[in-house]
Amino acid sequence: MSMIRDLRAAVRPSLLHPLRRTAPAASSPYANYDATRDPTAASAVVDCAVYRDGRRVDDRACLTPRGAMAQVRESGGFAWIGLHEPTEAEFAGIAVEFGLHPLAVEDAVHAHQRPKLERYDDTLFTVFKTIHYIEHAELTATSEVVETGEVMVFTGPDFVITVRHGGQGSLRNLRHRLESEPELLVKGPSSVLHAIADHVVDGYIAVADAVELDIDQLEIDVFSPAAKGATRGADTGRIYQLKREVLEFKRAVTPLLRPMQLLSERPMRLVDPDIQKYFRDVADHLARVQEQVVAFDELLNSILQANLAQATVAQNEDMRKITSWAAIVAVPTAVCGVYGMNFDHMPELHWKYGYPMVLGGIAVICFAIHRTLKRNGWL
């Protein structure tokens, strides 16, 4: 929390004028913020560039965020700084330089945030959860189906700062694609925000299609006539594991729906009106994915209930078989029990054909019981 207090002290004066940055207080661990040492030159910076008239400016002064903003203030355009899992110390200089709100800085550094859209003065702070589908030969009770990451985007009048967490969701290819479409980049920082949102939602669509195949295969396995009681326990574990992965997917998709609707419907000074139209398309795609994920969750609930019902039916069938054989065995047990008693006067005790007659009677009665139970479906 000391970092947040230091940043509040440093950022609050800088917000009074967007082009005037002040150094942290002398007691701050970042007090060496001066012209001789650029605190924005963090190792977490994976790319930094200035874009003017829709094209990337090739200038060595743009290798650091401070140099990029100096170029922007001098000649116009906007800066796009990309970072990967920055530490508090690495992000502190950038936060001071760009006047980022301490609460947003704390979220960006520590990650594990819900998707959201927040406005701090002249900066939009957007959080996206990225989803990556993990290929697997067969779904098991321990299979990891989706892997999540996070992308935070600070969008200002003349800058975009992207902070990525996790091994997935690289924006390198997206940056290259945007650089080949200057007609979009000329719209400013909001074009980058739209491109990131579109990229993330496209990833959701691909993952949803892959998860749907897993659910279809699981449904076939559960309801296949060849499925035996011995595998139903394993099926329950697979269903529950896939349901947990779908829940993780749902946590990424559902909270993002409202921010995308706001970006597509509510006029915002930081979002170009022409770009706002594109956000409607992203919101529509996201709504479709959200409906799919909700349907996946409900379908898995139905499959789980059906699997448990099948297990109950199988147990009932086993109990009926056990009961049927117990009924058959009860006949000879009862007869043998009677003739095993030590009485002097028993019917047919000394009769020559008594023994075979008793055995024959037992066999006939047991056969009749077996046929009756078989006819009724108990055996």
Side-chain angles (χ1 to χ4, degrees):
M1 295 301 294
S2 61
M3 170 190 170
I4 303 303
R5 290 194 296 270
D6 295 334
L7 286 177
R8 283 198 181 102
V11 172
R12 198 173 283 120
S14 69
L15 293 177
L16 298 176
H17 194 286
L19 299 182
R20 185 174 71 247
R21 313 296 181 192
T22 60
S27 59
S28 168
Y30 314 111
N32 290 330
Y33 181 80
D34 55 30
T36 61
R37 185 182 67 85
D38 186 354
T40 68
S43 60
V45 177
V46 295
D47 203 348
C48 177
V50 168
Y51 296 89
R52 190 177 302 120
D53 298 326
R55 301 189 181 279
R56 181 166 181 156
V57 177
D58 186 13
D59 195 315
R60 292 185 60 83
C62 303
L63 293 180
T64 67
R66 174 185 279 183
M69 286 308 297
Q71 287 291 317
V72 169
R73 293 164 190 159
E74 180 179 349
S75 305
F78 71 93
W80 181 359
I81 297 97
L83 300 97
H84 180 242
E85 297 183 351
T87 64
E88 292 183 358
E90 289 173 330
F91 201 58
I94 295 175
V96 172
E97 178 69 25
F98 290 89
L100 305 180
H101 196 280
L103 294 177
V105 170
E106 184 180 18
D107 290 345
V109 170
H110 295 101
H112 303 297
Q113 304 297 316
R114 294 177 74 253
K116 61 183 177 179
L117 172 66
E118 295 178 342
R119 180 170 179 174
Y120 297 98
D121 299 313
D122 288 335
T123 303
L124 287 179
F125 178 61
T126 314
V127 177
F128 300 93
K129 271 194 174 294
T130 58
I131 299 289
H132 173 70
Y133 180 77
I134 301 177
E135 298 288 345
H136 46 269
E138 182 181 0
L139 180 66
T140 66
T142 58
S143 293
E144 191 174 0
V145 179
V146 296
E147 181 182 5
T148 61
E150 291 181 51
V151 174
M152 287 84 162
V153 185
F154 294 88
T155 309
D158 51 7
F159 66 86
V160 177
I161 301 174
T162 56
V163 182
R164 184 168 61 88
H165 290 267
Q168 305 296 332
S170 174
L171 302 177
R172 185 180 302 275
N173 292 334
L174 174 65
R175 185 187 286 260
H176 293 163
R177 180 173 63 81
L178 274 177
E179 290 174 354
S180 65
E181 299 178 356
E183 66 278 4
L184 289 179
L185 278 177
V186 76
K187 300 296 183 180
S190 60
S191 64
V192 178
L193 178 61
H194 163 263
I196 294 173
D198 188 52
H199 174 72
V200 170
V201 173
D202 284 346
Y204 292 168
I205 294 174
V207 172
D209 292 340
V211 171
E212 186 174 16
L213 294 177
D214 281 337
I215 295 177
D216 290 343
Q217 183 59 50
L218 185 61
E219 192 173 15
I220 292 172
D221 294 342
V222 170
F223 293 102
S224 172
K228 302 298 182 183
T231 65
R232 289 194 179 104
D235 285 339
T236 302
R238 293 163 62 200
I239 297 170
Y240 185 72
Q241 177 65 16
L242 188 55
K243 183 172 174 58
R244 289 187 61 185
E245 297 297 302
V246 168
L247 180 60
E248 187 72 17
F249 193 5
K250 187 176 180 180
R251 288 172 180 166
V253 173
T254 302
L256 186 60
L257 191 58
R258 182 57 180 163
M260 290 300 101
Q261 290 173 343
L262 290 176
L263 288 171
S264 64
E265 297 170 359
R266 181 179 297 178
M268 295 185 182
R269 186 159 51 89
L270 294 173
V271 179
D272 188 280
D274 293 334
I275 295 297
Q276 191 170 35
K277 302 173 184 177
Y278 290 95
F279 276 110
R280 297 195 189 106
D281 184 61
V282 176
D284 289 341
H285 290 171
L286 184 62
R288 181 169 68 86
V289 174
Q290 194 261 350
E291 292 173 357
Q292 280 185 285
V293 174
V294 171
F296 291 162
D297 192 33
E298 293 177 353
L299 181 58
L300 285 171
N301 282 336
S302 300
I303 294 175
L304 182 59
Q305 292 173 0
N307 185 71
L308 294 176
Q310 285 181 335
T312 301
V313 169
Q315 290 175 354
N316 290 338
E317 290 177 353
D318 294 339
M319 289 302 299
R320 288 197 302 180
K321 291 179 180 179
I322 294 172
T323 304
S324 299
W325 285 111
I328 294 173
V329 173
V331 175
T333 301
V335 175
C336 294
V338 171
Y339 276 84
M341 290 186 286
N342 297 320
F343 289 105
D344 290 333
H345 304 286
M346 293 185 66
E348 308 298 343
L349 185 61
H350 301 289
W351 186 34
K352 180 179 180 181
Y353 300 103
Y355 181 69
M357 183 178 177
V358 170
L359 292 182
I362 291 174
V364 170
I365 295 173
C366 290
F367 179 73
I369 295 175
H370 183 274
R371 286 204 60 181
T372 302
L373 295 174
K374 187 79 171 178
R375 189 183 301 114
N376 293 333
W378 283 55
L379 287 174

